Amino acid sequence: MFMADIAGVRVLYTGDYSREEDCHLCAAEILQFSLYFNSEKMAKTIRRLAEKTPEVGETVSGFLVKKAFTYQIMALDDLHVFSQLSTENISQRITIAYSGAFGVLKHRLKQIFESVESLPDEESEAPAFRVHERLTVKYESEKHISLHWRSDPISDMVSDSGIISILLILILITSYC
């Protein structure tokens, strides 16, 4: 069904896609109306974020959750209360075959990265050092080293570049032998 307006004459056309003849009705008085839509969206802060009223212009930081047609902003710690989602910290580890001197590896990585610091002996049994306070490199045995890091975007980038650097150091060491 649709309405045609030609030269001020309105005709309502009803077609039912059957074999019966189509029906044309002259429209009596059809009131015109307009719908106005507000494009603003409002989100409520809940739980921990709602404890303190933000000042005008102050940034509120949290997760925006859309449920049905409502929006809520909540802190990360409150996410499991209002949804079936949970957050976890992921620790990653990779072991690389490395039979060279551990001191040489540390020296080479110091040439590549700005921050390479030795770890105290009480923190780990084996010799170890930390790259950019995110990636821990441990001497596991005469033939292996292990890299440990907590998964987040920056730590993943540091670990990726650390792994590539160690593999390139291995290539350099084996090419001279």
Side-chain angles (χ1 to χ4, degrees):
M1 170 168 32
F2 65 89
M3 181 179 64
D5 187 356
I6 301 171
V9 176
R10 293 183 183 155
V11 175
L12 185 63
Y13 172 75
T14 59
D16 59 359
Y17 302 105
S18 67
R19 293 181 183 235
E20 295 178 14
E21 192 172 317
D22 293 333
C23 181
H24 299 273
L25 301 173
C26 289
E29 288 188 29
I30 298 176
L31 299 174
Q32 287 190 348
F33 61 93
S34 299
L35 295 175
Y36 297 101
F37 294 98
N38 188 355
S39 63
E40 292 181 10
K41 299 210 186 297
M42 184 177 293
K44 287 195 267 183
T45 57
I46 55 177
R47 298 267 302 195
R48 292 186 186 162
L49 290 180
E51 290 173 356
K52 179 185 163 236
T53 305
E55 300 294 324
V56 175
E58 183 180 349
T59 302
V60 177
S61 182
F63 281 95
L64 179 66
V65 178
K66 179 183 177 186
K67 195 171 188 179
F69 293 101
T70 62
Y71 294 92
Q72 297 171 333
I73 301 175
M74 65 183 70
L76 176 63
D77 299 335
D78 296 330
L79 188 60
H80 71 281
V81 175
F82 292 97
S83 69
Q84 296 176 350
L85 301 175
S86 63
T87 57
E88 295 295 326
N89 291 323
I90 299 173
S91 296
Q92 296 192 45
R93 176 183 182 205
I94 187 169
T95 302
I96 299 175
Y98 180 79
S99 58
F102 193 65
V104 172
L105 178 65
K106 182 178 176 184
H107 175 72
R108 293 290 185 189
L109 289 176
K110 273 186 177 180
Q111 292 175 333
I112 298 169
F113 296 101
E114 292 176 1
S115 171
V116 176
E117 299 163 359
S118 295
L119 293 176
D121 290 335
E122 63 268 2
E123 195 171 317
S124 66
E125 315 78 49
F129 58 87
R130 186 164 284 145
V131 178
H132 283 292
E133 299 178 1
R134 295 185 177 269
L135 174 66
T136 303
V137 181
K138 287 185 181 178
Y139 181 77
E140 296 290 336
S141 71
E142 293 179 4
K143 296 187 178 187
H144 296 94
I145 59 170
S146 64
L147 285 74
H148 307 260
W149 69 96
R150 277 220 153 141
S151 186
D152 63 59
I154 296 174
S155 297
D156 289 344
M157 286 189 293
V158 171
S159 66
D160 288 346
S161 59
I163 291 167
I164 291 171
S165 301
I166 291 169
L167 294 175
L168 287 173
I169 291 168
L170 281 171
I171 290 171
L172 289 174
I173 289 173
T174 56
S175 65
Y176 288 119
C177 295

